[in-house]
Amino acid sequence: MAAVSVFPSPAELGAALARSVADAAAEAVASGGRFTLGLSGGSLVALLARELPAALRAAPGAEPSRWLLAFCDERLVPPEHPDSTGGAYRSQLLSQLPRPSPHVLWVTPGLGPEETARDYEGQLRRAFPGEATPRFDLLLLGVGPDGHTCSLFPGHALLQEQNSLISFLEDSPKPPPQRVTMTLPLLNAAKALLVVATGASKAPVIKRILEPPEEQREESESLPAARLRPRSGRLWWLLDQEAAKELRIPLEKCP
Ligand SMILES: O=C(O)[C@H](O)[C@@H](O)[C@H](O)[C@H](O)COP(=O)(O)O
């Protein structure tokens, strides 16, 4: 069962998210010497850019220089393009972090979609030697109004992918169309998945995912974000009140 925390606004949610990342980092660095973190795009970039630097200053053990950063998905555009997730994190978040910087697995630009996915998967496998399926300490995910997460969209063949860690698509319903994405086997291998959703536009899909009516349970199971089931990790939803407003299940209301 997933944990669900509800915050009054994106500001409180962002601060709690940043503290959770800093705490997870400090724990991973202390116990294993590094922190492996996967980042999604969209509104998560600004949320982390606004809150994470201060949270890290308050958590000296978090040590960003000991982090391995990867992207849960990436749009296949040049790094300087405004749609580039890596480019957004580079300019908005990484530029605020202390030196030495985290070790970032950048998606290699200029390759075709399939080659980009193969290249990125190779980078991941080299970064997690000996792990058939890399187990990230934490993956930060968003969810679209249609229930997509990363670049896994409803009804897409990628949802059936069971072998690759990273796959590609050229028909993303959310522009831009060409993307690479972590697949469900990689996502569900993580030690912790943290899904962030804010705003009223997400309320219907959050209801369908977390509290599907009996007659719609099977249909809801098909939503990509409903397929986030860490095999032995933790799943935690962080919502603001707007995104949670259709839920009736008991929720942890956070100040
Ligand atoms: O690169 C992307 O587009 C994201 O990884 C995508 O999966 C995002 O997380 C959701 O679309 C939610 O985006 P918002 O939080 O901006 O609504």
Side-chain angles (χ1 to χ4, degrees), residues 130-145:
E131 295 188 38
T133 304
R135 289 200 72 205
F136 277 84
D137 291 310
L138 178 61
L139 296 176
L140 300 183
L141 304 169
V143 58

Side-chain angles (χ1 to χ4, degrees), residues 40-44 73 75 85 141-144 148-151 174 179 196 202:
S40 293
S43 62
L44 198 59
D73 62 338
R75 300 88 174 273
T85 296
L141 304 169
V143 58
H148 80 260
T149 189
C150 300
S151 292
K174 176 181 179 183
R179 294 160 171 248
V196 174
K202 307 292 173 76

Side-chain angles (χ1 to χ4, degrees), residues 156-195:
H156 203 285
L158 284 190
L159 289 172
Q160 311 314 320
E161 178 57 51
Q162 289 302 316
N163 300 309
S164 301
L165 302 177
I166 302 289
S167 197
F168 71 97
L169 64 162
E170 301 181 85
D171 56 352
S172 170
K174 176 181 179 183
Q178 291 194 340
R179 294 160 171 248
V180 291
T181 183
M182 288 186 181
T183 58
L184 285 170
L186 179 55
L187 294 171
N188 286 326
K191 295 172 187 170
L193 294 178
L194 209 163
V195 191

Side-chain angles (χ1 to χ4, degrees), residues 63-106:
E63 292 195 58
S65 62
R66 307 285 288 278
W67 294 12
L68 176 76
L69 278 188
F71 298 101
C72 298
D73 62 338
E74 178 59 290
R75 300 88 174 273
L76 300 194
V77 295
E80 66 278 4
H81 190 285
D83 281 345
S84 168
T85 296
Y89 275 110
R90 183 196 297 273
S91 60
Q92 297 180 44
L93 175 61
L94 299 181
S95 56
Q96 291 190 70
L97 298 186
R99 300 289 183 273
S101 298
H103 176 53
V104 181
L105 298 182
W106 298 106

Side-chain angles (χ1 to χ4, degrees), residues 214-228:
E214 191 55 43
E215 68 279 7
Q216 292 177 16
R217 192 173 298 277
E218 191 172 329
E219 185 266 341
S220 293
E221 288 284 293
S222 67
L223 297 172
R227 309 246 322 244
L228 295 171

